[in-house]
Amino acid sequence: MTPRITLLRRATAALATSSALLLCTLTPSAAAADTGTAPQPPALTGAQLAASWTAPLSTRDRYVVDADGDRFKLKSGNWAGAQGTWQGSGDVNDVANHQARQMSHNIPLGLDRKPMAQILADFHALGLNSIRLPFANALIHDTSAVPDSAVAANPQLKGKTPLQVLDAVVGALTADGFAVILNNHTTSYRFCCGLDGNERWNSGQSTQQWIDDWVFLAKRYQNDKRVVGADLRNEVRRDTWNDANWGWGDDHDLNKALEEAGNKILQANPDMLVIMEGINWQGIPTDVTPHSRPTLTPVATLSNTLIRSDKLVYAAHFYGYTGPNHTGATGTGETHDPRYEELTPAQLAQVVDDQALFVTRSGQHFTAPVWISEFGAAGRGDIDAKERAWFANFTDILVKNDTDFAIWPLVGWTDTNGTPQDNWAMVNYSANGTRIGVMDAGDWRATDWNKLVNAAGKTGRIAPAPRWNMLNLDYADYNVSATMLAKPDWSPGNRKANCPDSQRLVGLGRSDSRGLCTDAGQPTKGNGAWTVVTDERHVTSDWASGYNKLQCPDNTFVVGHSVRNNAMTALLCAPATDSLPTTGRAVWFDGGDNRPATGGSTGSDWAPGYYKGQCADNEYLAGVAYTWKWNHGGVPDALLCRPLA
């Protein structure tokens, strides 16, 4: 979410019924300000920060790691502006019509007031190692030059387009050691996040255009390895008429869209992290209509799989004035659901875990790092006591869970009296460049901020850990194998799914066609051709008497499957470099789940409502049995599981 007013609190996402917009006006309560006393974070120079980590980044278990396998905790801030600041009404050239009376001219804020090197020095002083850079799709296609006044403190940028300015900002940040994560915040330059035409990735543009823009940026920055990530879309939410969904297979399916974009980005630039937010809001917020902030909760039963399984990061946003079922509005659009700031510390910790941090549990199909890529509070002037308590409690949760984070926002302006126009900003600059920030006296957030950036956490080498990932054939093909994406259709006319090249198929759901992949004890793939099996020619023993059987040739293992409706039609088998054992056991799941007691994503459900069969972590899947008898419908009933060694 991005601030919409700058007095002390942010206005929330304006949602709508068919007859009215849901607008909000927030009136903060007052409390005495004080200064923080916690030790400030060490301010690294650009050279020191650059030397402290090696690009590119990837993931291991719940952690982001650098190219050496060392933990790289995202200690980030949002440098906003390139997503646009116009609030959607009135003359776009009138500063009064821009968020907090701050006209960005669609480039990162502050370039008119402070030389870029000095802005970056302030980011170092905040203890940051990474920057989230919001941008609008409009920026990519904008050929107009920014006004000279917009870059007055950085005259080297005069005459450049917004995209060229973004190039310069990215280059300066990465040269100064920061990791840069690009964030597609909006479609147009209109300020987010209400009924503004930016609700979904395909609001105001097609899904294909959105993906094309991402591929363009992935290629544009592919030689700068410190451009480490693509944060695919900000705060997907309901528009006037429709909700986004998670897994319906239509053009409002965020789960599907994120995977399509993520895999295209990785094909263009395999080094990028792919960062996915959940759904920020569904439903019409009244006390008599369903509504909620799903965030990452749908990931528990429908997670995402990419062609590079070590590149996925999930993200979530939390602000005190919103809630699990509260838009944050007052007046029209306000419900009687609690806001996050009204929860006890224990309740807040539980709901943050339920909505986001559960994803960091090891060994599940959804396991990934979680980046809280937006949170914040107003730091100067009159203080809302509830918001202040929430900020302390929320940063405690981040510290306790060693969570990656990004504060919103980094840069704002001060007025002619030296008062921050956006008192959520971590640093504010006057017209002549004078700074007032969280590191200066008078900002109550200093104690909690310094507590957060100085917190002890996991450091050093992160050991590789086994992964489990879902295959989802609910509605369409699910091909996350880079090898098979480069080849013709291997099972024409059928829905087919392939594991990432680093994994093999280890489990199947009965009647829903979902699968589970893993790299636990993964055999090394050989150089031979992959085999498509559609009949029983490779069956060497009757391990499922009376049933049809699909079985891979010896010394190959299952990496994909295809179905018609939900009936089995084919297996895809990859060769192993070394010989594999040919003894095995039948794992029946026609009458109930048959899964390992430990390991293997056993603490999560990857095919809810259906029986699941799954080989043990030290086994490979060699065959599937099914029947058309007894109304079984050709769905899988048993697996042939063989030991890896």
Side-chain angles (χ1 to χ4, degrees), residues 49-58 65-70 72 225-226 228:
L49 179 57
S52 70
W53 66 285
T54 305
L57 301 182
S58 58
V65 298
D66 74 358
D68 297 324
D70 292 329
F72 186 84
K225 300 306 180 185
R226 292 188 189 271
V228 299

Side-chain angles (χ1 to χ4, degrees), residues 151-166:
V151 292
N154 292 273
Q156 74 276 14
L157 301 179
K158 288 183 179 180
K160 294 188 180 295
T161 67
L163 178 58
Q164 291 169 334
V165 172
L166 189 71

Side-chain angles (χ1 to χ4, degrees), residues 485-502:
L485 283 169
K487 294 181 180 296
D489 189 338
W490 62 270
S491 188
N494 303 312
R495 300 197 319 279
K496 63 203 69 70
N498 314 307
C499 293
D501 285 343
S502 60

Side-chain angles (χ1 to χ4, degrees), residues 3-264:
R4 275 163 289 286
I5 60 174
T6 60
L7 294 177
L8 289 175
R9 302 181 65 183
R10 304 181 343 152
T12 68
L15 301 174
T17 64
S18 60
S19 60
L21 297 180
L22 305 179
L23 304 178
C24 61
T25 303
L26 301 175
T27 305
S29 59
D34 60 34
T35 60
T37 58
Q40 289 196 4
L44 300 179
T45 66
Q48 289 170 327
L49 179 57
S52 70
W53 66 285
T54 305
L57 301 182
S58 58
T59 70
R60 291 182 179 178
D61 194 59
R62 58 148 293 183
Y63 299 107
V64 177
V65 298
D66 74 358
D68 297 324
D70 292 329
R71 168 78 183 290
F72 186 84
K73 183 175 182 177
L74 295 172
K75 298 182 179 183
S76 320
N78 285 268
W79 191 0
Q83 83 284 0
T85 51
W86 181 57
Q87 292 183 307
S89 63
D91 184 358
V92 70
N93 295 309
D94 185 346
V95 70
N97 299 322
H98 289 254
Q99 185 267 336
R101 299 179 66 89
Q102 299 175 149
M103 188 188 300
S104 72
H105 292 286
N106 312 317
I107 60 177
L109 275 163
L111 297 176
D112 59 331
R113 299 178 171 227
K114 199 81 168 179
M116 205 180 324
Q118 294 179 31
I119 296 174
L120 270 52
D122 287 339
F123 294 170
H124 285 298
L126 289 168
L128 304 176
N129 62 17
S130 43
I131 303 296
R132 184 179 187 244
L133 274 181
F135 71 89
N137 292 97
L139 174 145
I140 297 172
H141 307 280
D142 189 347
T143 59
S144 61
V146 301
D148 289 353
S149 60
V151 292
N154 292 273
Q156 74 276 14
L157 301 179
K158 288 183 179 180
K160 294 188 180 295
T161 67
L163 178 58
Q164 291 169 334
V165 172
L166 189 71
D167 290 341
V169 168
V170 167
L173 284 166
T174 58
D176 220 32
F178 292 101
V180 170
I181 295 171
L182 304 171
N183 162 240
N184 179 221
H185 211 76
T186 52
T187 304
S188 71
Y189 284 136
R190 182 173 173 179
F191 193 72
C192 171
C193 294
L195 285 174
D196 51 18
N198 297 308
E199 296 87 356
R200 290 193 308 274
W201 63 97
N202 53 4
S203 295
Q205 62 187 351
S206 67
T207 295
Q208 188 59 56
Q209 183 61 63
W210 173 66
I211 293 174
D212 288 346
D213 284 351
W214 264 123
V215 170
F216 169 82
L217 290 177
K219 290 180 177 178
R220 188 176 187 88
Y221 298 121
Q222 64 185 337
N223 293 325
D224 189 343
K225 300 306 180 185
R226 292 188 189 271
V227 180
V228 299
D231 183 353
L232 297 181
R233 188 70 180 189
N234 186 73
E235 294 188 7
V236 171
R237 56 200 180 275
R238 180 183 176 88
D239 64 14
T240 303
W241 304 108
N242 295 297
D243 286 322
N245 66 76
W246 193 264
W248 292 11
D250 59 15
D251 65 354
H252 289 186
D253 184 348
L254 178 59
N255 175 277
K256 172 187 172 184
L258 294 175
E259 286 178 348
E260 289 179 359
N263 284 323
K264 289 295 186 182

